Amino acid sequence: DTKTLNQTHYPVQAIADKLVWPNPSHNMPAIDAFMLRVQVCVAFQMTLSCCHGLDLRGTNAFLRYFDSVHRKLDPKRNVPQHYDLYFVVPKDTYEKFSAMTQPITGLHGVQLDTIEATSISGRVKQWVMKID
């Protein structure tokens, strides 16, 4: 699952130009799928709800994994300051969903207002994708 993303399970050579769905049998706390395109990692979170917090541990795990992928691809360059996360939502919740930034959450979905949560949130650029 996304809390244990690492290069042992998903080596860089195996994920290039592919959509990776780490565990399609159940929801992930931070992201559902990701892809590596032209040396850039992009994350996707599918949801039907009007809000979807980002689990602190899961978000931290995918950021560490994406950083490790970038270090392996180009050891001389710094890792990106942020990664794009696309929330994929149905058209009937798009307007409400896109009006707010999704928070970093802890246990039981409680919104976190800590230095760590703020730091992690700053590394995730949130986008909303509407589907019919």
Side-chain angles (χ1 to χ4, degrees):
D1 72 45
T2 54
K3 289 184 183 177
T4 58
L5 277 177
N6 59 57
Q7 289 193 28
T8 303
H9 295 104
Y10 304 101
V12 174
Q13 306 85 329
I15 66 166
D17 297 323
K18 293 181 182 160
L19 180 65
V20 179
W21 199 294
N23 192 343
S25 65
H26 67 278
N27 287 339
M28 295 290 110
I31 63 171
D32 287 328
F34 65 91
M35 63 189 317
L36 174 63
R37 300 278 301 158
V38 193
Q39 298 189 350
V40 175
C41 290
V42 177
F44 299 92
Q45 176 63 56
M46 291 62 146
T47 185
L48 297 174
S49 69
C50 293
C51 62
H52 191 294
L54 297 172
D55 176 79
L56 177 74
R57 287 180 50 207
T59 304
N60 202 16
F62 91 71
L63 289 172
R64 281 193 318 270
Y65 173 70
F66 284 10
D67 286 349
S68 72
V69 168
H70 278 277
R71 280 195 284 290
K72 186 162 188 135
L73 289 171
D74 193 348
K76 295 177 184 167
R77 286 185 37 198
N78 291 330
V79 297
Q81 291 182 346
H82 73 269
Y83 294 100
D84 292 333
L85 168 61
Y86 289 87
F87 288 97
V88 182
V89 300
K91 65 180 180 180
D92 59 328
T93 60
Y94 175 78
E95 294 299 327
K96 189 171 184 179
F97 195 98
S98 64
M100 65 182 100
T101 299
Q102 303 306 306
I104 300 293
T105 59
L107 286 176
H108 310 293
V110 175
Q111 184 172 340
L112 299 177
D113 188 21
T114 64
I115 293 171
E116 181 183 22
T118 301
S119 174
I120 288 172
S121 180
R123 294 207 58 214
V124 179
K125 188 171 183 181
Q126 298 182 20
W127 301 90
V128 183
M129 183 184 307
K130 174 175 58 173
I131 58 170
D132 283 330

